[in-house]
Amino acid sequence: MNVLQGMREKRRWILELVLWGTVLAVLFILISLCFDHGIDLDEAYSYRTVHGNDLKGIMDNILEAHDTDIPLWYWGLRVWTWIFGESWFAYKLFSVAGSFATLLLGATAVKKAWGYRTALLFIVPAGLAPALLHIGVNVRMYSWTVFIVTACGITIYYLAKEPKRRLLWGILFLLTVSGLFCHYFTAFCFLFLYLYLFLALWNRDRRSVWKVFVCGIAAVAPFCWWLVVSDFFHLKEQGETQVDFGTIDFQELFSFIFKSNIEHSTLLGMGILAMAFAGLFLLWDRFEKADRSFALLCLSLLFVSYLIAAVLASVSSHFFISRHIMHGLALMWLGIAIVLSRINPPVYICALLFVGIMSMSSYRICYANEYTTTPYIEETKAFIEEQMEPGDIVIYNSEPAFDLLYGCYMPEQTFIYYPELTDIQVLAGKRVWFFLCKPDFFSEEVQEVYGITYENRGHYGFQIINDCTDFDLLRLNIKGAEEGHQAL
């Protein structure tokens, strides 16, 4: 008996080492992608909203923007940078922390509820699957909303079994409020998670059903107040363009979730998902009642959220893209892990191999995006520091929103979008530069009238986005139109 007990203890320690070793390996992989200084437009928005602002300033920026953002995540990022500094590495680590929190759920709560095999099959894609690896180092709120929705789902799973635990209700309330105040599309995930809890308690303990309504209403009330005072959500006026439902399809969503460098990766990912659905329904009686209903919820949540969000986007003024509803993505992988870890060992091994290969391919893509799309950035930063002065004017002809990105590296300069430049005369005698991303420059006639000469200082750029953030950097000398000449 002691021998058997010793063997079980040894096996348990081996499994713990494998599990926590996987968590640390995924964490180090995420951190390895944080050393580059390139940023995309969304990250630039995060930086400009937070940098140099206190908590009230962040709130004011968000209210002025009327964007799809709510202040809680930005406040968290600001507090993080107060503690760890303003480097880009510190900014990216805040997103890594959100993914790490999800990994910890896998190594603790998932392991406790469904065992080591399920936890391992969950942890790898939760950190390294294509979309989830990207958000793990992208300076946006999604790694944290994924953690919050995943934690909420697991909390609801336990509440459905133990509805009298007050601590769990408190955790559910806090997670719901936190999620709603990080990104408002989390509401669609919470809607179906609460519906699941209501149905589970209706069948198990009807005297506790009222707690679902109290918790939900208490969490939603401050969120509704925010929507009203911020004018955050408003319907489209008559005549505004509606969402084209022909362009909102599940193929695009599946590509977002599964696409990697592997040939037919999207189809393979869809196959794994279909296998999980098929395994769940074909072996329905093999699963415990609570597990099979929760697995079905996890597998379906992302897709029903997608449909509801698409409907809402068709009548609201906010645009809609796949990442806005990715908050339930880790729960989808949890559903896959719950089912495929219980069919038979060969299926489990094949699933583990698939997520491992998919994760390696995902890392190669993310590594390339982080480290091969910034070939000019160090020289550009050095040039800015050595050659440019506060108050310099920069004309650019890339995309109109790119001043948001440029301003992260050049906060003391003023940017003018070239097609919107209406008065060249006011630039006479000033220090002016031109980011020439496209062959769209002052005509010879304009150059002659305003006395424009220029010197090409070389080719520079920040992170390459859509092939239009690198540029020839021109130093302009604008004398201005002479008196008596007709300004153009």
Side-chain angles (χ1 to χ4, degrees), residues 386-450:
E386 295 169 5
Q387 301 293 329
M388 293 191 176
E389 298 178 2
D392 281 5
I393 297 170
V394 179
I395 305 170
Y396 66 99
N397 67 353
S398 52
E399 299 294 334
F402 277 17
D403 61 328
L404 187 69
L405 186 149
Y406 300 147
C408 294
Y409 302 96
M410 307 167 63
E412 298 178 318
Q413 282 72 40
T414 300
F415 294 90
I416 300 175
Y417 182 46
Y418 175 66
E420 297 176 356
L421 177 59
T422 57
D423 190 355
I424 302 174
Q425 186 66 23
V426 299
L427 303 180
K430 297 182 179 180
R431 287 175 56 89
V432 182
W433 306 83
F434 200 114
F435 287 179
L436 190 67
C437 302
K438 307 172 185 177
D440 183 16
F441 191 58
F442 300 113
S443 67
E444 291 184 2
E445 183 183 7
V446 170
Q447 292 181 47
E448 182 178 349
V449 169
Y450 289 99

Side-chain angles (χ1 to χ4, degrees), residues 161 353 444:
K161 290 184 171 183
L353 285 173
E444 291 184 2

Side-chain angles (χ1 to χ4, degrees), residues 36-302:
D36 185 64
H37 292 171
I39 57 173
D40 60 29
L41 281 175
D42 288 322
E43 292 177 301
Y45 179 81
S46 299
Y47 178 83
R48 296 289 292 275
T49 301
V50 169
H51 183 70
N53 282 318
D54 57 15
L55 301 186
K56 182 180 182 302
I58 291 171
M59 173 80 82
D60 293 339
N61 280 352
I62 292 173
L63 290 173
E64 291 171 7
H66 288 282
D67 202 356
T68 55
D69 289 318
I70 310 182
L72 183 61
W73 177 82
Y74 294 94
W75 286 345
L77 178 60
R78 190 69 188 112
V79 172
W80 179 275
T81 57
W82 282 337
I83 298 171
F84 297 103
E86 295 277 356
S87 68
W88 274 114
F89 181 72
Y91 274 84
K92 288 175 180 288
L93 278 185
F94 186 60
S95 295
V96 172
S99 292
F100 182 57
T102 303
L103 300 179
L104 291 180
L105 282 178
T108 54
V110 173
K111 180 195 71 176
K112 179 181 177 181
W114 297 285
Y116 288 99
R117 292 201 304 173
T118 302
L120 184 61
L121 189 54
F122 167 75
I123 286 170
V124 176
L128 301 179
L132 291 168
L133 178 59
H134 171 71
I135 66 167
V137 294
N138 191 253
V139 187
R140 297 296 287 160
M141 69 285 298
Y142 298 105
S143 69
W144 280 102
T145 58
V146 166
F147 160 71
I148 290 169
V149 170
T150 305
C152 184
I154 295 172
T155 302
I156 280 175
Y157 172 80
Y158 282 111
L159 270 174
K161 290 184 171 183
E162 304 174 80
K164 300 188 185 304
R165 293 184 60 182
R166 294 182 179 179
L167 177 61
L168 290 179
W169 287 106
I171 292 172
L172 179 61
F173 169 77
L174 292 175
L175 288 171
T176 308
V177 172
S178 299
L180 291 172
F181 276 88
C182 282
H183 196 289
Y184 79 147
F185 272 30
T186 57
F188 305 123
C189 294
F190 292 135
L191 172 64
F192 290 102
L193 289 171
Y194 273 71
L195 178 60
Y196 167 85
L197 182 57
F198 169 80
L199 294 175
L201 292 182
W202 184 263
N203 290 324
R204 185 184 184 90
D205 184 4
R206 294 188 182 183
R207 290 176 298 178
S208 298
V209 164
W210 65 272
K211 298 177 184 177
V212 179
F213 292 98
V214 171
C215 184
I217 293 171
V220 169
F223 178 63
C224 292
W225 167 83
W226 166 262
L227 294 179
V228 173
V229 300
S230 66
D231 190 28
F232 188 69
F233 175 81
H234 42 283
L235 299 178
K236 290 183 177 178
E237 296 179 2
Q238 187 174 4
E240 287 194 51
T241 302
Q242 301 291 310
V243 170
D244 179 6
F245 280 92
T247 65
I248 298 179
D249 57 59
F250 282 107
Q251 177 60 37
E252 181 266 343
L253 179 61
F254 286 129
S255 179
F256 172 74
I257 297 170
F258 297 118
K259 188 172 178 58
S260 67
N261 287 335
I262 303 171
E263 190 173 0
H264 306 305
S265 57
T266 301
L267 288 175
L268 290 171
M270 292 169 64
I272 286 289
L273 181 62
M275 185 185 299
F277 272 112
L280 178 62
F281 288 117
L282 291 174
L283 304 174
W284 187 260
D285 293 333
R286 182 184 295 185
F287 296 89
E288 293 183 12
K289 186 176 180 180
D291 288 348
R292 66 194 184 198
S293 59
F294 184 75
L296 181 60
L297 170 72
C298 291
L299 292 172
S300 308
L301 180 64
L302 182 71

Side-chain angles (χ1 to χ4, degrees), residues 28-39:
F28 289 139
I29 288 172
L30 288 166
I31 293 175
S32 73
L33 298 171
C34 294
F35 295 96
D36 185 64
H37 292 171
I39 57 173

